[in-house]
Amino acid sequence: MELIKPEMTPKERVTAYARGEEVDRIPTSLSAGETAPPLYGINICDYYFSADAMVEVETRLAEDFHADNMGVGLGLRTLVEALGTKLEYPKKNVSYIAEPALTSFADIDNMELVNIEKDGRFPIIVESFERLQERFGEERILGSGLAGPLTTAASLIGTEKFLKATVKNKEGAHRLLQFSTDCIVKCCKDMNQKLGIKFMLSEPMASRNLLSKKQFQEFFLPYLKQAVQRMNEFQQGTSIHICGNTKDRWQEVVDAGVSGFWVDNCESLQELKDAHGDKIAISGNLSPVDVLKDGTIEDIEEHVKRCIAQAGDNPCGYNLCPGCTTPVGTSKEHMIAFMNAAAVYGKGARKGYMPKGML
């Protein structure tokens, strides 16, 4: 399958679209960084520790698919690993937590804020960004994302222990959340000043599937608001991704000041647009597994068309992407089909208007 070559560079497209101008196709992202190395014969465990591998993967993704996003994602675990959480690195799958950094909330007193110059894998990632900026800075806007305060806190002490603390040790939970927020802001600010990139936040812990509305309001919202406010001081707007069911908390997330909301495929882009599209940009939400990885070419085209039909005319803009990370094992053919459907149905996109490809 041949890729439909775009007429504009990603930087041209994203910049013009933000200004309200018509562009060649709807802005489109593939969140495939740490899951893509096997496409290019690279073991995922090797990718994590090699600037050469990171640069090669991002370069080849750009050449093969022409998505609008580029950058090495910090993901859910880079920051906590730098703070002492131990990870396991499978050969052919993404990393996972083996042992949290903290054994008790009292250990917070012995923790220092992260240093991107020396802690964990940050020096490798910084080098990768410097090399990518040098090569692609004229045609692409590089960026990254990382876990938000709630998910970071849970990863530092263990999810079960943290959730129990929201009932039995609220003071400890809040202290850890504040430390996590401070680390996130410092990390993003330092990398922004060094590299000029901006960040989004990911909070899989904040969905209705894992967190009650009461816990959400007490232990999530205050730190989301704080992180967004502080990050907006050095970057223009901060968006968020939350996995799972979130409809019952959309209003609170929007009121926290986020500039964009990337929702999972279990939610309706149409409903989010109708409720909050005049306040935030929307991203999403093609099913990563059932459609992008395991569906047919026809499924991918149908679901891309459905996503654009629901949100392509969002007043504050729309970015087409999977509902979550592109899964390991997704074929090049399916990723090309996704990008081609974006080019066809998203043709002639303009913020606030349905693309001409849908008319």
Side-chain angles (χ1 to χ4, degrees):
M1 179 179 290
E2 290 291 324
L3 179 75
I4 298 173
K5 296 298 175 65
E7 301 169 12
M8 306 174 76
T9 68
K11 181 178 280 189
E12 290 171 341
R13 180 180 304 108
V14 171
T15 303
Y17 185 77
R19 290 197 300 255
E21 300 171 7
E22 184 176 312
V23 295
D24 58 341
R25 67 131 201 263
I26 198 84
T28 306
S29 299
L30 277 170
S31 54
E34 67 178 341
T35 62
L39 288 175
Y40 304 111
I42 299 171
N43 291 326
I44 295 178
C45 60
D46 297 330
Y47 165 87
Y48 285 118
F49 296 94
S50 169
D52 288 342
M54 290 177 180
V55 171
E56 179 179 356
V57 168
E58 288 299 318
T59 299
R60 296 182 71 174
L61 285 172
E63 293 171 345
D64 288 346
F65 308 112
H66 290 269
D68 292 306
N69 60 313
M70 173 178 269
V72 180
L74 302 186
L76 302 180
R77 296 169 292 277
T78 298
L79 178 58
V80 295
E81 181 187 35
L83 293 168
T85 290
K86 295 180 181 178
L87 304 184
E88 290 289 339
Y89 289 94
K91 187 175 182 179
K92 297 184 178 180
N93 213 326
V94 299
S95 64
Y96 61 89
I97 292 174
E99 183 181 338
L102 306 176
T103 57
S104 75
F105 287 92
D107 294 338
I108 301 170
D109 295 334
N110 301 320
M111 299 286 283
E112 295 183 359
L113 297 180
V114 69
N115 183 339
I116 66 165
E117 302 294 339
K118 64 180 184 65
D119 292 344
R121 295 184 301 110
F122 276 106
I124 299 171
I125 293 172
V126 168
E127 179 189 343
S128 301
F129 267 110
E130 289 173 337
R131 291 166 60 180
L132 290 169
Q133 285 278 31
E134 182 177 358
R135 181 167 180 178
F136 294 100
E138 293 297 317
E139 61 186 77
R140 291 179 167 272
I141 300 173
L142 276 68
S144 190
L146 75 169
L150 184 71
T151 300
T152 296
S155 298
L156 284 172
I157 200 162
T159 300
E160 183 177 355
K161 188 175 290 188
F162 178 80
L163 290 176
K164 286 181 178 179
T166 64
V167 177
K168 298 182 178 180
N169 184 7
K170 292 187 176 184
E171 187 271 339
H174 281 294
R175 285 177 60 222
L176 183 54
L177 282 162
Q178 186 59 60
F179 173 78
S180 298
T181 303
D182 292 341
C183 278
I184 290 165
V185 173
K186 183 179 187 299
C187 167
C188 294
K189 183 176 182 179
D190 290 349
M191 292 189 72
N192 176 270
Q193 291 178 342
K194 189 177 185 68
L195 302 165
I197 60 176
K198 65 178 291 186
F199 293 83
M200 71 169 296
L201 299 173
S202 294
E203 282 283 20
M205 283 285 297
S207 73
R208 179 165 57 85
N209 308 68
L210 292 173
L211 211 65
S212 72
K213 190 66 176 289
K214 182 179 179 181
Q215 289 172 308
F216 172 86
Q217 291 172 330
E218 182 175 355
F219 296 98
F220 173 75
L221 277 179
Y223 301 98
L224 174 63
K225 290 178 181 177
Q226 183 189 149
V228 168
Q229 181 179 8
R230 293 170 64 184
M231 290 170 68
N232 284 352
E233 293 176 1
F234 56 83
Q235 65 177 32
Q236 186 180 1
T238 302
S239 60
I240 191 168
H241 171 56
I242 304 179
C243 299
N245 298 105
T246 53
K247 184 179 177 181
D248 70 329
R249 49 204 69 188
W250 285 351
Q251 184 68 59
E252 289 86 351
V253 171
V254 172
D255 289 345
V258 298
S259 59
F261 196 175
W262 172 14
V263 290
D264 208 337
N265 55 279
C266 59
E267 297 291 7
S268 166
L269 295 176
Q270 180 76 50
E271 291 181 12
L272 181 59
K273 180 189 72 175
D274 292 344
H276 304 290
D278 60 335
K279 302 180 186 68
I280 56 167
I282 293 173
S283 296
N285 71 345
L286 184 133
S287 173
V289 177
D290 293 342
V291 177
L292 186 57
K293 178 177 178 288
D294 295 334
T296 64
I297 301 299
E298 292 73 23
D299 291 335
I300 294 169
E301 292 176 353
E302 176 188 343
H303 283 261
V304 165
K305 186 176 181 180
R306 183 185 303 174
C307 287
I308 296 175
Q310 291 185 5
D313 59 350
N314 186 55
C316 288
Y318 172 60
N319 179 73
L320 173 68
C321 65
C324 199
T325 303
T326 301
V328 175
T330 303
S331 69
K332 287 185 180 181
E333 182 181 38
H334 280 197
M335 292 163 76
I336 289 172
F338 174 74
M339 296 305 303
N340 282 352
V344 172
Y345 298 112
K347 181 179 176 62
R350 181 182 170 197
K351 185 166 64 175
Y353 297 85
M354 192 57 64
K356 292 179 177 177
M358 294 291 292
L359 303 178

